[in-house]
């Protein structure tokens, strides 16, 4: 199947000389819920800008559903719905007019445009505001409108650049549910974020981008398994050499009454490990399961925290 | 290839200035009335007839052209500049519309506003003076072509502009002087030979005379030359604007 997005050897130098992307290769499959995760200035918005035609390519290529975004820009752009990171709107028109204009730019017939506009404004709780101009909206409403509008032409590929930045918890959950629903309907979703939990929670696959390079790419589970941070911490009373021998084959340390075991999928190993210890007469007090996060993945790969 | 997308964008450009009519249509009308009253009625009686027309009648085509030119220019220049500065231009750039289509959309918006403003001045002229319109079809064509040309100039300046002052600067130091020196208020036959020859290098002189011929059936210069100068300006500026825009010059990062 043609990938939804295929980026090859993408390199971007801005006019000022900043090298925002230093050779990116990325494939996003159709129907995927894909996360582009990275700290400020990593190159997320630039990658999206190139894909949507806002940023000129210095080197490399991008295809959307097989269409080259430069030479076949009409077909490529027709398939994309973008909710940009910045909230800037045409200030001359009401929400309703902007929805209809947007649909028109994409060639949506008037009747369908009105139907979609009505439905989306309703779904995003903006029906009451349909006749006001965007400047009369609160920040959260602007964000909702931004997303509603990006969907009016029913795009196959939905790209959201930090849709949950600066929104309250309630709206964040509403957006998550909404994006999941879009994805279930078969749309490909690309989400950029620097909220780690968001990427872990929503995305089937994430690419971590740092300093213009993709430094990791895979499902959150794969990436977290890859750094071997998962494990168990167990407080043991009556530790003995016998107990130690029982744990042969495990990567563990025992110190100050506490046993630390590094193990992939700790939940599955829990029973086996506890049984082995208890079998030697030692008493198991409390057990904590340690999971790596994508943050740990980032730290492992860069030596920095993501929000540093 | 009038696609729905292109049609929608043109509609947006038209709606923008029509909804702002008290900034885009009324001021030109008011100044025209002032010109007609002050220059025409009060000073005109001392100047006497020019080529068989009262002074008031003589200046009307020039006023119409001036209004058309400045409005066409301002419309596309400020519409594009606002979109650029407020960053909602991105909303258009990500659509399937080509650079050429977007350029033409801005130019058409400017051309429409220029044309309407020009026509409004002529209507004022009909109401306030005794002019009659000699070549109506030519009036429409001249006004359209020149408005188109300056819509394209506005597009170019909107592309280059980094501040709103840049846009106003061109009006103050370029458009207004050229319009005035283009013979709105006088026939260049009234000038000393040196100035008359210099005027011949001013394209706006041809445009104003073209419309004067179409309205009053008098001209300092050949109507054919006037028309060709207008068409040439429209073609050159449209090409320059559309090519720069499509390349993303100062439009895309
Ligand atoms: N228009 C521009 N001109 C010059 N440099 C730019 C431009 N836009 C972005 N950059 C630079 O390119 C790099 C990548 O920026 P980009 O906006 O793609 O990062 P990001 O990952 O989206 O960051 P954030 O999380 O803050 O949105 C940064 O160093 C930034 O300063
Ligand atoms: Mg960004």
């Amino acid at each position: 199947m043609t990938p939804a997005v295929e980026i090859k050897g993408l390199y971007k130098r801005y006019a000022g000389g900043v090298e925002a992307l230093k050779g990116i290769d990325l494939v996003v499959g159709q129907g995927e819920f894909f996360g582009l995760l990275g700290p400020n200035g990593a190159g997320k918005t630039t990658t999206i800008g190139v894909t949507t035609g806002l940023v000129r390519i210095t080197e490399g290529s991008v295809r959307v559903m097989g269409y080259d975004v430069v030479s076949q820009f009409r077909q490529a752009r027709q398939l994309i719905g973008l909710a940009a990171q910045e909230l800037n709107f045409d200030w001359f028109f009401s929400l309703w007019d902007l929805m209809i204009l947007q649909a028109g730019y994409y060639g949506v017939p008037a009747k369908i445009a009105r139907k979609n506009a009505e439905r989306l404004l309703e779904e995003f709780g903006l029906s009451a505001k349909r006749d006001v101009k965007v400047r009369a909206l609160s920040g959260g409403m602007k964000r909702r409108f931004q997303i509603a509008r990006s969907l009016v032409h029913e795009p196959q590929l939905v790209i959201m650049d930090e849709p949950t930045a600066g929104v309250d918890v309630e709206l964040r959950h509403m957006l998550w549910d909404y994006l999941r629903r879009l994805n279930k309907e078969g749309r490909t979703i690309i989400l950029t974020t620097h909220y780690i939990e968001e990427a872990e929670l929503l995305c089937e696959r994430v690419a971590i981008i740092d300093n213009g390079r993709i430094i990791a790419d895979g499902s959150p589970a794969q990436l977290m398994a890859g750094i071997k941070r998962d494990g168990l911490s167990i407080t043991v009373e009556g530790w003995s050499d016998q107990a130690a021998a029982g744990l042969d084959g495990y990567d563990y340390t025992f110190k100050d009454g506490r046993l630390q075991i590094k193990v992939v999928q700790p939940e599955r190993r829990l029973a086996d490990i506890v049984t082995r210890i208890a079998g030697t007469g030692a008493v198991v007090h409390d057990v904590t399961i340690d999971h790596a996060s994508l943050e740990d993945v980032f730290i492992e790969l860069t030596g920095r925290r993501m929000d540093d | 290839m009038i696609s729905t997308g292109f049609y929608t964008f043109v509609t947006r450009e038209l709606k923008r200035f029509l909804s702002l009519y008290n900034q885009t249509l009324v001021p030109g009308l008011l100044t025209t009335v002032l010109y007609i009253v002050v220059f025409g009625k009060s000073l005109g009686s001392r100047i006497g007839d020019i080529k068989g027309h009262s002074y008031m009648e003589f200046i009307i085509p020039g006023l119409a052209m001036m209004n058309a030119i400045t409005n066409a220019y301002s419309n596309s220049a400020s519409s594009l500049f606002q979109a650029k500065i407020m960053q909602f231009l991105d909303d258009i750039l990500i659509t399937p519309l080509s650079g050429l289509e977007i350029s033409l959309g801005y130019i058409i918006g400017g051309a429409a506003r220029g044309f309407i403003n020009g026509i409004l001045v002529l209507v004022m002229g009909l109401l306030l003076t005794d002019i009659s319109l000699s070549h109506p079809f030519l009036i429409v064509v001249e006004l359209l072509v020149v408005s188109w040309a300056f819509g394209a100039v506005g597009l170019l300046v909107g592309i280059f502009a980094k501040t709103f002052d840049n846009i106003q600067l061109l009006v103050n130091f370029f458009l207004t002087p050229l319009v005035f020196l283009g013979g709105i208020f006088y026939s260049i036959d009234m000038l000393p030979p040196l100035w008359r020859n210099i005027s011949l290098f001013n394209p706006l002189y041809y445009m104003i005379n073209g419309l004067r011929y179409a309205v009053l059936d008098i001209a300092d210069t050949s109507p054919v030359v006037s028309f060709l100068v207008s068409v040439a300006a429209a073609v050159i500026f449209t090409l320059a604007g559309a090519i720069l825009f499509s390349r993303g010059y100062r439009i895309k990062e």
Side-chain angles (χ1 to χ4, degrees), chain A residues 53 56 74 77 90 149, chain B residues 12 91 101 247 252-253:
Chain A
R56 287 185 282 186
R74 279 188 208 274
R77 290 186 203 159
D90 195 333
R149 191 185 53 168
Chain B
R12 188 253 169 213
D91 294 350
E101 287 171 311
R247 292 211 177 141
K252 294 187 182 186
E253 300 293 348

Side-chain angles (χ1 to χ4, degrees), chain A residues 44-46 85 161-162 192:
Chain A
K44 303 182 293 293
T45 300
T46 304
Q85 182 173 9
D161 197 353
E162 312 228 7
T192 82

Side-chain angles (χ1 to χ4, degrees), chain B residues 28-43:
Chain B
L29 263 187
L30 275 181
T31 20
T32 305
V33 174
L34 285 177
Y35 273 118
I36 291 179
V37 171
V38 174
F39 283 83
K41 295 239 194 246
S42 62
L43 299 175

Side-chain angles (χ1 to χ4, degrees), chain A residues 3 19 26 59 62 93 100 103 111-112 117 123 141 154 166 172 199 227 236 238 246 266 304 306:
Chain A
E19 295 186 338
L26 199 62
E59 232 173 77
V62 180
F93 298 96
I100 299 298
K111 210 173 132 194
I112 299 174
E123 285 174 347
M141 289 176 185
E154 303 175 40
R172 180 168 303 168
I227 62 162
V236 183
R304 313 191 313 275
M306 193 137 103

